[in-house]
C-alpha cells in the first residue's frame, strides 16, 4: 500500500510495517472491545486471544514477533498451554496493543 496507511483484512489485522521494521498494529484498539474477545481478555485467556487473532488473519509468526515469544511457544499456547506469568501477560498486552485494563493488568490508585 503506497499511501502509508495500514491495510486491513476482513478481521481487521493490519498489513503494514511499523517505522522500525516491526509489524504495524495487529488490530485497531477498538477491535479488542468486540464480544468475541471480551471473555478471553477479562479471563486472561491468551490462547483464546491468539485463536481469534488467527481467525482474523494474524499469523503465529507475527504474534511471536510482537510479543517477544518464539513461534513454538505461541503454538504451545494455542494448543492449551496456560499463560500465568505476569511478565508474559504484560508482553502480550503491550506487544499486541491490548489495553492493559481489558486484561485486568492496570491498577488505578495512588502513585
Amino acid at each position: 500500500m503506497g499511501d502509508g496507511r495500514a491495510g486491513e483484512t476482513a478481521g481487521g489485522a493490519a498489513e503494514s510495517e511499523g517505522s522500525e521494521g516491526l509489524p504495524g498494529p495487529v488490530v485497531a484498539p477498538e477491535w479488542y472491545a468486540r464480544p468475541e474477545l471480551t471473555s478471553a481478555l477479562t479471563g486472561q485467556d491468551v490462547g483464546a486471544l491468539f485463536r481469534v487473532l488467527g481467525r482474523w488473519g494474524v499469523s503465529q509468526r507475527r504474534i511471536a514477533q510482537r510479543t517477544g515469544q518464539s513461534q513454538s511457544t505461541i503454538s504451545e499456547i494455542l494448543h492449551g498451554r496456560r499463560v500465568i506469568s505476569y511478565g508474559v501477560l504484560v508482553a502480550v498486552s503491550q506487544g499486541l496493543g491490548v489495553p492493559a485494563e481489558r486484561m485486568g493488568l492496570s491498577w488505578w490508585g495512588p502513585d
Side-chain angles (χ1 to χ4, degrees):
M1 303 204 149
D3 62 6
R5 292 179 294 161
E8 292 189 2
T9 64
E15 302 280 339
S16 72
E17 294 290 321
S19 62
E20 299 170 311
L22 292 174
V26 174
V27 295
E30 60 270 15
W31 284 71
Y32 292 116
R34 291 178 152 230
E36 59 265 44
L37 282 179
T38 302
S39 176
L41 294 175
T42 57
Q44 298 179 339
D45 187 344
V46 176
L49 168 62
F50 290 174
R51 283 188 288 282
V52 171
L53 291 176
R55 286 195 302 271
W56 290 351
V58 181
S59 69
Q60 289 183 27
R61 179 175 174 228
R62 186 161 189 202
I63 293 170
Q65 288 173 326
R66 294 301 303 243
T67 62
Q69 307 298 309
S70 69
Q71 189 276 326
S72 62
T73 297
I74 301 305
S75 179
E76 290 173 8
I77 293 168
L78 283 164
H79 288 93
R81 178 177 165 193
R82 184 98 171 117
V83 175
I84 58 172
S85 165
Y86 180 78
V88 173
L89 292 170
V90 169
V92 167
S93 173
Q94 291 176 346
L96 298 178
V98 178
E101 62 274 8
R102 293 212 178 267
M103 290 184 71
L105 299 174
S106 62
W107 180 71
W108 302 97
D111 291 336

